[in-house]
């Protein structure tokens, strides 16, 4: 009953009966999977909560459409992903005009999923960044006694004031901190750079002890090492780690489909390395990918392809984790 | 006090002190106008109420930005528009995430304007088509004893069910009929064609006696004659006529900036002729232009330019009306 | 056994169980239809036979993808199409590199369909114009004793020499005439204009008595009247009429997705009127739509939408024919 | 010696030795033609004199590049153009930074050509509209005792003040009138519409008795009839008629490659009809086509193709004229 | 009197009265600033002097329009820029068709500014690269007894021959060397690579002892170290250092808005590091950014954003310099 | 007689008589060169053999058109390329619809060239990757007793099964291995990464001992060092080395003109470094560049320019090789 906001994934039609050598033959609808899946995917297709016009609501379906072009074998690590069981729980049903109601549904759907599949890693595909506040609250609902830490890959702090904007896409981290769901000191943001956070926001972050790691610092120490250290650090302090990847962390030259991306951002290769490392870390129980607007993407869907690749890096990390 | 939702129009900065030979030197902020203006313009910059992703919220500002390219002289009619006094009341302030609240503000702002400037024609620049329901309700609030008729130029009936979608952009006419604000028999839709209204919607329209005039019929009788007849017809039945121009009435080849436009639609020239005629008719007290998404427009802003031209045709009609 | 080249249509996945108020809920896979359908649709997804680079092979799937946006009610004629039974036989399986083999399969698949469903109108979605030669040959294989006439809506004569090019997209009419399948005098081309047929091709057409009706002439007499007269004329001479619509007949301003379209071409409205008339004519047993390359289309899929609309006009004509 | 500003046309490389069935095999470099050609083409590739950024300087070469797609047979008139002798005199050599010098060279090159080939129609391909003032002055230099009349197809009057702008693209007609080269009453502008000429410019036009024919008037009387009457009218008053076609006369939906085109403009078909008529008229000795910026054109070069088509209509008119 | 070519900056309209946390609330019109500003910005909006078609004249206004998206806090250096006083002197007034006159005005306006504000760093926003010759000459006019050195970040040497082209955008460095304004040995070009300078130009550079540092060499030694060394080197030899940043130094994949950018160019990150270092150096008194054509930029204004970011890096360097 | 499939290169028209300081004045038609050229270029303009729609057939002509923008001086190496003699043998004549015949002609033309110019390095410009199988077979025909090794820069293994697809673009390496032309152990693929080769293909590669070097490995050891080692390794085992550069090896952010490019690919700079190194190696006798589709390229032809640059790096390597 709890999971009623999750709709049947449409993509399943084009799944052939052959070997799971490509992603669309490998991922399976949640209901068709026997036993406990290794990873559950679900979509939160909302972006009318975005401050500026956004089509990020289209990402979950485009994400699934473009994965047909990806094989289930990672050549870099020389590892076959196909034995890993990926389930698709479909999209949370959104209301056309009632944003608060839609947000509530994401929270409830997440709570249901993480309760029923407590051993399984969950991966939410947004939607704009407001969805992260919903899913983290859902996890808190399911595990009220656990502390949650957030590793955020983002160009922005996303601590704008919900009192002014409502639960919009610039506010999720502040919603969670002000709402007592997550402590500021349990948030680590990697990828900050340049001139994209106004001083009052930085003041808020400092006041709440959000750990800010600039991209410059991360590069100096090595992106992979920075991720390792951040996760190690978080793991000692919290019960479960939630990773949120705001795709605007990518450099603007590599992310035509992320209107909020900026010059001086992370390269796709750095993001891929980071996600492989994140996937390898056992404390990470949840991940989301948000703010990718396929309607703005290049004609060859460069950004959506980068998004699928990034997700597969995380999955590769999980597989490597299991086998080691 | 009532008008507090209306924000100062930003465009005023680029008004030079010279002669009003171009639109941006002619239109003036409402507060700077002495006496009663002939036409008041205001923006309703919301499109997160749109069923599909829309940037129509950007239209009011683009509309004002592009009018710099238009002179205040109509060569076809050989008439100088500059003596006509156009006031810009700015945009209604929208909330970032509370759609109902934003809609309420449009209603209130409209009620305030039409109450204070009862002799003046008002022109609302949307926004998606949900804004029409708000503004008509605002007029009804101001003049509760008057019957309102609607002349709708549209490819769609826009009578989808708000019970399902909330007050979204496919529902305004049904909101007004079901809400008892406007009678179905007082709605005339011109521009319908092809395969863009499902049978249940047509059934609703027939049941409520909405007058449907297909584009084919309009062309057969002459677009101008059809408009004349429709306005004459409406005027005998209602106290004031509200004209709503859904820019998706335009043919898809001429409206790259209107995602819902279709093949087989109205040509820009037909729309211009219609609006000149509409402007000439005294019973028309209110007009709006909605559903134009400048973020989808061609690189030369073809659709926004067409929108400004269309509005000027209406204004030319007013001027001709006054002089005859 | 004969129909083995036809593949199961992929689109069927997104067919809901509701009322057939939209095209994707109305068209049904051929095998699921009981009794004899009114119209059978099949795709011929090949364009590597095109002289210049073409992605017209993608049209059958895009055609089916975009029809979701179309209702099954024609407002102009005030007629509900949903009782008309449309079957989708899927696409003919193409070989990756053997063009002649692919052509042979189109011919065989067509022959099978028209044999098994002799009372049903068939509609082939190309592919480039080379497919027309294949399907007409398939029909001749099925009905060797019947004479076939062709009504061609096209900017080009398509009588280039297969001896030079092989069975490429510029050659289908000449293949059929030189191959004795169709007589030149049984071919009527409407839509010719301007400077897009070199003198030797015109000489060939004149020599073989192809009836050339320029767009200018058609407009002078009325496009609908010209179509009526052409079909009446053909019907008296042949046993069955095949209509081939090369989408390059459309004006270049309305057909971004047809690389061969030209200035001075037919408007979409003229094409729609023509197809309604063609649909009404009993002698028309077969139709195809070719040379639309969705990979070149505008971002709002203007041309594919025009293609679906055009096809629905033909269907509307069939419905009107039956009811009169 | 005089013609030294004219450069060898680059296009000649791709001329095959075959029959002149396509334009690129038909047009010949001026120096290779024996006897007197029927029409001489030359380019004036300058647009740094344009008020707004323009790449119209690229038009002469793109015009010649795209003509490969055009046959030398006009199907509408059923006439073979290939016996008509077209010479290409190449482009006038422009200076990189000295606009006045470049203008002077266009004037001199034109004077040389029209002197040497007094019986031949000349056709200049611009360039922005400033080039028209140069070429008309060149003609006046060659024939100082003849009066010149101008038939202008244009959305704008192009009578802005050179005292303010220098000899920029908005000023040519005023340059010629104020310079005593052409009388205002010998200028007829067809195609004016809407809101694209400020009142002071209209006042100038009225004061100098420029004949303004709006597109609306032309459509009412018939575009062809309007052209006929205008040429008849001009011919009785002047010794030679110069036709200038500002491609911004075209409707914005048909002219992506003309940044100054507007909604409500002429259709391509109307322009083609007009040019056929113009070509038929004996008094027309010179023509130019200006203000088409290929760098802004659509990916299928819609506007350049329209430009070539328009030019061929004029040529067809010449051929018809000769044969009648 | 001297500054009469500088026009009031239009952008000032959208400056709110709030805290200077974003650039548009921080930069102030020159006339409104009390005391001596730290940096003066001015625009030189000309690109009709460009060899190929260019809209770089639009950069000054787009630069100012896009800076609204930038905060005044640099997260990498953890430094608040807002106490630094930035003045905007507006744009130099350009003539529409007289390039030499426009160039003269840039020279005079620069001379006036650097004379009146001798302690202030000036920053010119071009325009094409011809403007650099003008501004350096202006500085020389103001300080005839000082030697000027140039640090040039550029893919090209820009030493083409003004005798052939006039003062076009390929010639500024040669204008200055041949004109005796700057010595060749006082010019250091960093960023050269590949195949974009013909041998005669390289010969000229060698002959005049221009120091050519290829990007490959810079990367080998470290871009920052290379900049440091170059500035140290220059400072010992000249009285004031002028830095000119031709945005075509950027790699083509990161600079859609710079038509002359090439493969193998500098990354945005390298440019940002370089400018931070340049800003830190006391000897640098003047800087310009040229050759960015916003009309060619991507739909998300990637290159203009990169340009604003680059400029802010320079400003950050100044702030760091002051505080150390 | 043998070389009859090679057509005269069209580009030669725009070769000026001046110094060979730019590529188009340097490369010469094969027939005009006296003595033995250092490098022969020829085109294989076919892409209808591509599995997905491709315009790679247009690359040879675009490659030659864009080289006008490149000087013949390499600044990084400070070396003048112009003494190196480059011959252009034109394009192999392709049949419009018979793919096997076209492939046969590429094979024959290659055999002829390498036989007649045995001392000259050949460089084929594709076309899709199917052309590599043809050219390698042609070389084998010419030198049946020599073993050929292949260095492949590619994101894919290209060992799909020709039994299923025919000789399509995914199959060339398998065609050569299964056909006994090249041994699997003599193939080294550098550039593999991510998820773009399904497990069965990797199994095939492992079974046939194709050496797979991932991009990650190459970066770890240094791209240049990896190339050096690969060529050294190959040279000890084979008689001649053939290098095939599938441009899809490039990262998707740098290769809009290569539809098969992927995220995580090689940077242009890495490719340039690799090709310089390859050019320096004496064992390399043949090279090709394939799968670049200019019709998909960005408006500034980023990818074609990168292709020309890459080719010039190879040529620079040859020049360096000769001089050392």
């Amino acid at each position: 009953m709890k999971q009623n906001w999750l709709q049947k994934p449409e993509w399943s039609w084009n799944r052939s009966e052959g070997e799971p050598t490509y992603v669309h033959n490998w991922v399976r609808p949640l209901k068709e999977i026997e036993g406990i899946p290794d990873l559950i995917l679900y979509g939160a297709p909302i972006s009318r909560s975005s401050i500026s016009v956004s089509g990020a609501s289209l990402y979950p379906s485009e994400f699934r459409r473009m994965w047909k072009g990806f094989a289930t074998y990672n050549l870099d690590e020389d590892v076959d992903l196909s034995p890993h069981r990926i389930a698709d729980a479909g999209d949370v049903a959104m209301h056309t005009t009632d944003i608060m109601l839609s947000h509530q549904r994401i929270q409830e759907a997440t709570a249901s999923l993480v309760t029923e599949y407590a051993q399984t890693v969950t991966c939410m595909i947004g939607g704009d960044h407001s969805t992260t506040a919903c899913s983290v609250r859902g996890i808190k609902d399911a595990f009220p006694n656990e502390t949650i830490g957030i590793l955020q890959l983002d160009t922005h702090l996303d601590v704008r004031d919900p009192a002014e904007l409502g639960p919009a896409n610039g506010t999720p981290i502040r919603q969670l901190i002000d709402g007592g769901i997550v402590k500021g000191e349990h948030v680590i943001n990697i990828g900050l750079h340049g001139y994209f956070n106004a001083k009052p926001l930085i003041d808020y972050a400092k006041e709440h002890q959000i750990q800010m790691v600039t991209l410059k610092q991360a590069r100096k120490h090595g992106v992979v090492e920075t991720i390792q250290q951040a996760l190690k650090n978080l793991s000692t302090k919290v019960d479960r780690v939630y990773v949120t990847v705001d795709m605007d962390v990518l450099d603007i030259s590599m992310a035509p489909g992320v209107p909020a991306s900026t010059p001086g951002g992370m390269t796709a290769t750095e993001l891929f390395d980071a996600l492989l490392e994140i996937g390898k870390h056992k404390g990470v129980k949840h991940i989301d990918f948000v703010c990718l607007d396929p309607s703005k993407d290049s004609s060859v869907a460069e950004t959506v392809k980068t998004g699928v690749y990034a997700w597969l890096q995380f999955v590769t990390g999980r597989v490597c984790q299991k086998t080691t």
Side-chain angles (χ1 to χ4, degrees), chain A residues 72-318:
Chain A
T72 54
Y73 199 96
N74 179 308
L75 247 172
D76 297 303
E77 308 298 317
D78 203 15
V79 59
D80 183 6
L81 307 180
S82 64
H84 208 68
R85 281 172 310 166
I86 309 287
D88 186 343
D91 284 351
V92 183
M94 297 286 98
H95 189 271
T96 304
T97 47
D98 191 334
I99 290 173
M100 319 309 157
L101 180 59
S102 297
H103 278 174
Q104 182 61 27
R105 289 180 186 173
I106 296 170
Q107 183 170 339
E108 290 176 17
T110 303
S112 294
L113 276 179
V114 299
T115 301
E116 186 168 347
Y117 299 92
Q119 304 309 315
T120 299
V121 167
T122 60
C123 174
M124 183 178 76
I125 305 295
D128 67 50
H129 217 164
S130 70
T131 59
T132 297
C134 308
S135 61
V136 174
R137 278 195 301 260
I139 293 163
K140 191 69 179 177
D141 289 345
F143 307 104
N145 299 323
E146 296 195 19
T147 54
I148 303 172
I150 294 180
L151 174 60
Q152 179 182 9
L153 305 188
D154 204 336
T155 285
H156 306 90
L157 290 162
D158 282 352
V159 294
R160 294 181 66 172
D161 193 354
E164 180 195 352
L165 303 168
N169 67 331
T171 68
I173 302 302
R174 184 150 176 185
Q175 284 185 51
L176 294 171
I177 293 175
D178 290 359
I181 309 296
V182 172
K183 290 187 181 171
E185 61 197 87
H186 294 162
V187 176
I188 303 182
N189 187 322
I190 299 175
L192 297 162
H193 64 277
Y195 310 87
F196 307 107
N197 293 279
K199 190 163 179 301
L201 304 181
I202 293 166
D203 291 344
Y204 177 93
K206 287 181 175 172
E207 183 190 345
H208 289 81
Q209 301 178 54
I210 293 173
Q211 296 174 61
M212 296 183 279
V213 184
T214 66
L215 188 50
K216 210 167 185 173
Q217 291 169 322
R219 282 174 176 157
K220 203 169 180 179
H221 302 133
V223 168
V224 167
E225 292 71 17
T226 304
I227 293 287
Q228 277 177 337
Q229 198 173 328
L231 287 173
K232 195 172 165 189
N233 174 330
L234 265 187
S235 296
T236 62
K237 299 200 225 160
V238 301
D239 297 308
R240 56 178 64 221
V241 175
Y242 185 105
V243 178
T244 178
V245 183
D246 188 326
M247 295 294 283
D248 76 13
V249 77
L250 285 171
D251 190 83
I252 193 170
S253 71
M254 294 185 154
V258 190
S261 67
T262 62
M266 204 176 266
T267 67
T269 298
E270 288 170 337
L271 181 62
F272 297 159
D273 288 348
L275 281 161
L276 181 64
E277 194 56 36
I278 288 168
K280 286 179 179 170
H281 200 279
K282 295 196 183 194
V284 176
K285 304 289 190 208
H286 316 283
I287 192 166
D288 68 37
F289 295 87
V290 300
C291 287
L292 197 163
D293 178 353
S295 71
K296 301 286 195 321
D297 208 357
S298 73
S299 61
V300 292
E302 172 180 347
T303 323
V304 177
K305 286 176 183 167
T306 299
V308 175
Y309 198 124
W311 170 70
L312 285 171
Q313 289 290 98
F314 175 74
V315 175
T316 299
R318 303 312 293 179

